[in-house]
PDB file of all heavy atoms in Angstrom:
ATOM      1  N   HIS A  99     121.273 -44.792 -31.768  1.00 98.00           N
ATOM      2  CA  HIS A  99     121.302 -45.593 -30.534  1.00 98.00           C
ATOM      3  C   HIS A  99     122.705 -45.734 -29.960  1.00 98.00           C
ATOM      4  O   HIS A  99     122.852 -46.144 -28.820  1.00 98.00           O
ATOM      5  CB  HIS A  99     120.743 -46.982 -30.833  1.00 98.00           C
ATOM      6  CG  HIS A  99     121.672 -47.812 -31.679  1.00 98.00           C
ATOM      7  ND1 HIS A  99     121.894 -47.543 -33.015  1.00 98.00           N
ATOM      8  CD2 HIS A  99     122.477 -48.852 -31.356  1.00 98.00           C
ATOM      9  CE1 HIS A  99     122.779 -48.410 -33.480  1.00 98.00           C
ATOM     10  NE2 HIS A  99     123.152 -49.211 -32.509  1.00 98.00           N
ATOM     11  N   LYS A 100     123.751 -45.434 -30.741  1.00 98.00           N
ATOM     12  CA  LYS A 100     125.116 -45.737 -30.284  1.00 98.00           C
ATOM     13  C   LYS A 100     125.490 -44.996 -28.993  1.00 98.00           C
ATOM     14  O   LYS A 100     126.293 -45.488 -28.208  1.00 98.00           O
ATOM     15  CB  LYS A 100     126.134 -45.425 -31.377  1.00 98.00           C
ATOM     16  CG  LYS A 100     126.130 -46.459 -32.493  1.00 98.00           C
ATOM     17  CD  LYS A 100     127.364 -46.347 -33.363  1.00 98.00           C
ATOM     18  CE  LYS A 100     127.403 -47.469 -34.381  1.00 98.00           C
ATOM     19  NZ  LYS A 100     126.436 -47.279 -35.480  1.00 98.00           N
ATOM     20  N   SER A 203     129.839 -52.265 -30.902  1.00 96.00           N
ATOM     21  CA  SER A 203     128.629 -53.058 -31.116  1.00 96.00           C
ATOM     22  C   SER A 203     128.705 -54.284 -30.205  1.00 96.00           C
ATOM     23  O   SER A 203     129.634 -54.395 -29.392  1.00 96.00           O
ATOM     24  CB  SER A 203     128.513 -53.474 -32.589  1.00 96.00           C
ATOM     25  OG  SER A 203     127.252 -54.087 -32.812  1.00 96.00           O
ATOM     26  N   CYS A 243     117.350 -53.648 -37.766  1.00 98.00           N
ATOM     27  CA  CYS A 243     118.455 -53.971 -38.657  1.00 98.00           C
ATOM     28  C   CYS A 243     119.610 -54.557 -37.849  1.00 98.00           C
ATOM     29  O   CYS A 243     119.759 -54.274 -36.664  1.00 98.00           O
ATOM     30  CB  CYS A 243     118.910 -52.737 -39.437  1.00 98.00           C
ATOM     31  SG  CYS A 243     119.639 -51.429 -38.429  1.00 98.00           S
ATOM     32  N   GLY A 245     123.738 -55.005 -37.995  1.00 96.00           N
ATOM     33  CA  GLY A 245     125.108 -54.891 -38.503  1.00 96.00           C
ATOM     34  C   GLY A 245     125.938 -55.771 -37.594  1.00 96.00           C
ATOM     35  O   GLY A 245     126.050 -56.979 -37.796  1.00 96.00           O
ATOM     36  N   GLY A 246     126.501 -55.191 -36.528  1.00 96.00           N
ATOM     37  CA  GLY A 246     127.081 -55.996 -35.457  1.00 96.00           C
ATOM     38  C   GLY A 246     125.968 -56.551 -34.572  1.00 96.00           C
ATOM     39  O   GLY A 246     126.093 -57.607 -33.979  1.00 96.00           O
ATOM     40  N   GLY A 247     124.880 -55.787 -34.507  1.00 98.00           N
ATOM     41  CA  GLY A 247     123.694 -56.299 -33.814  1.00 98.00           C
ATOM     42  C   GLY A 247     123.297 -55.575 -32.541  1.00 98.00           C
ATOM     43  O   GLY A 247     122.441 -56.059 -31.800  1.00 98.00           O
ATOM     44  N   SER A 248     123.871 -54.391 -32.251  1.00 98.00           N
ATOM     45  CA  SER A 248     123.594 -53.771 -30.948  1.00 98.00           C
ATOM     46  C   SER A 248     122.191 -53.170 -30.834  1.00 98.00           C
ATOM     47  O   SER A 248     121.524 -53.328 -29.816  1.00 98.00           O
ATOM     48  CB  SER A 248     124.659 -52.731 -30.600  1.00 98.00           C
ATOM     49  OG  SER A 248     124.626 -51.632 -31.480  1.00 98.00           O
ATOM     50  N   ASN A 249     121.722 -52.471 -31.876  1.00 98.00           N
ATOM     51  CA  ASN A 249     120.374 -51.893 -31.736  1.00 98.00           C
ATOM     52  C   ASN A 249     119.324 -53.000 -31.742  1.00 98.00           C
ATOM     53  O   ASN A 249     118.319 -52.925 -31.027  1.00 98.00           O
ATOM     54  CB  ASN A 249     120.115 -50.808 -32.795  1.00 98.00           C
ATOM     55  CG  ASN A 249     119.561 -51.330 -34.105  1.00 98.00           C
ATOM     56  OD1 ASN A 249     118.359 -51.450 -34.282  1.00 98.00           O
ATOM     57  ND2 ASN A 249     120.444 -51.684 -35.045  1.00 98.00           N
ATOM     58  N   GLY A 316     127.127 -48.464 -41.742  1.00 91.00           N
ATOM     59  CA  GLY A 316     127.073 -48.999 -40.379  1.00 91.00           C
ATOM     60  C   GLY A 316     126.732 -50.478 -40.326  1.00 91.00           C
ATOM     61  O   GLY A 316     126.759 -51.091 -39.261  1.00 91.00           O
ATOM     62  N   LEU A 317     126.387 -51.059 -41.466  1.00 93.00           N
ATOM     63  CA  LEU A 317     125.997 -52.477 -41.477  1.00 93.00           C
ATOM     64  C   LEU A 317     127.039 -53.371 -42.125  1.00 93.00           C
ATOM     65  O   LEU A 317     126.880 -54.591 -42.149  1.00 93.00           O
ATOM     66  CB  LEU A 317     124.655 -52.657 -42.219  1.00 93.00           C
ATOM     67  CG  LEU A 317     123.435 -51.915 -41.664  1.00 93.00           C
ATOM     68  CD1 LEU A 317     122.201 -52.224 -42.503  1.00 93.00           C
ATOM     69  CD2 LEU A 317     123.183 -52.265 -40.207  1.00 93.00           C
ATOM     70  N   ALA A 361     117.947 -43.196 -40.975  1.00 97.00           N
ATOM     71  CA  ALA A 361     119.282 -43.625 -41.384  1.00 97.00           C
ATOM     72  C   ALA A 361     119.147 -44.774 -42.372  1.00 97.00           C
ATOM     73  O   ALA A 361     118.186 -45.545 -42.299  1.00 97.00           O
ATOM     74  CB  ALA A 361     120.074 -44.089 -40.164  1.00 97.00           C
ATOM     75  N   GLU A 363     120.779 -47.404 -42.400  1.00 96.00           N
ATOM     76  CA  GLU A 363     120.819 -48.659 -41.634  1.00 96.00           C
ATOM     77  C   GLU A 363     119.399 -49.035 -41.216  1.00 96.00           C
ATOM     78  O   GLU A 363     118.898 -50.110 -41.536  1.00 96.00           O
ATOM     79  CB  GLU A 363     121.704 -48.492 -40.390  1.00 96.00           C
ATOM     80  CG  GLU A 363     123.206 -48.388 -40.666  1.00 96.00           C
ATOM     81  CD  GLU A 363     123.639 -46.981 -41.092  1.00 96.00           C
ATOM     82  OE1 GLU A 363     122.781 -46.072 -41.066  1.00 96.00           O
ATOM     83  OE2 GLU A 363     124.816 -46.798 -41.437  1.00 96.00           O
ATOM     84  N   SER A 389     116.799 -47.002 -35.568  1.00 98.00           N
ATOM     85  CA  SER A 389     118.066 -46.848 -34.832  1.00 98.00           C
ATOM     86  C   SER A 389     118.730 -45.489 -34.999  1.00 98.00           C
ATOM     87  O   SER A 389     119.493 -45.063 -34.145  1.00 98.00           O
ATOM     88  CB  SER A 389     119.032 -47.960 -35.242  1.00 98.00           C
ATOM     89  OG  SER A 389     119.205 -47.995 -36.651  1.00 98.00           O
ATOM     90  N   GLY A 390     118.445 -44.778 -36.104  1.00 97.00           N
ATOM     91  CA  GLY A 390     119.111 -43.481 -36.264  1.00 97.00           C
ATOM     92  C   GLY A 390     118.474 -42.619 -37.338  1.00 97.00           C
ATOM     93  O   GLY A 390     117.632 -43.076 -38.116  1.00 97.00           O
TER      94      GLY A 390
HETATM   95  C1  LIG B 501     126.039 -48.261 -36.401  1.00 83.22           C
HETATM   96  C2  LIG B 501     124.603 -48.231 -36.727  1.00 83.22           C
HETATM   97  C3  LIG B 501     123.861 -49.414 -36.925  1.00 83.22           C
HETATM   98  C4  LIG B 501     124.468 -50.781 -36.933  1.00 83.22           C
HETATM   99  O1  LIG B 501     125.013 -51.222 -35.728  1.00 83.22           O
HETATM  100  P1  LIG B 501     124.325 -52.317 -34.835  1.00 83.22           P
HETATM  101  O2  LIG B 501     125.360 -52.638 -33.820  1.00 83.22           O
HETATM  102  O3  LIG B 501     123.970 -53.488 -35.702  1.00 83.22           O
HETATM  103  O4  LIG B 501     123.106 -51.711 -34.246  1.00 83.22           O
HETATM  104  C5  LIG B 501     122.485 -49.313 -37.149  1.00 83.22           C
HETATM  105  N1  LIG B 501     121.887 -48.116 -37.215  1.00 83.22           N
HETATM  106  C6  LIG B 501     122.568 -46.954 -37.049  1.00 83.22           C
HETATM  107  C7  LIG B 501     121.827 -45.682 -37.156  1.00 83.22           C
HETATM  108  C8  LIG B 501     123.946 -46.969 -36.803  1.00 83.22           C
HETATM  109  O5  LIG B 501     124.617 -45.830 -36.656  1.00 83.22           O
END
Side-chain angles (χ1 to χ4, degrees):
H99 71 289
K100 285 195 174 74
S203 188
C243 66
S248 66
N249 88 89
L317 300 181
E363 289 81 5
S389 54

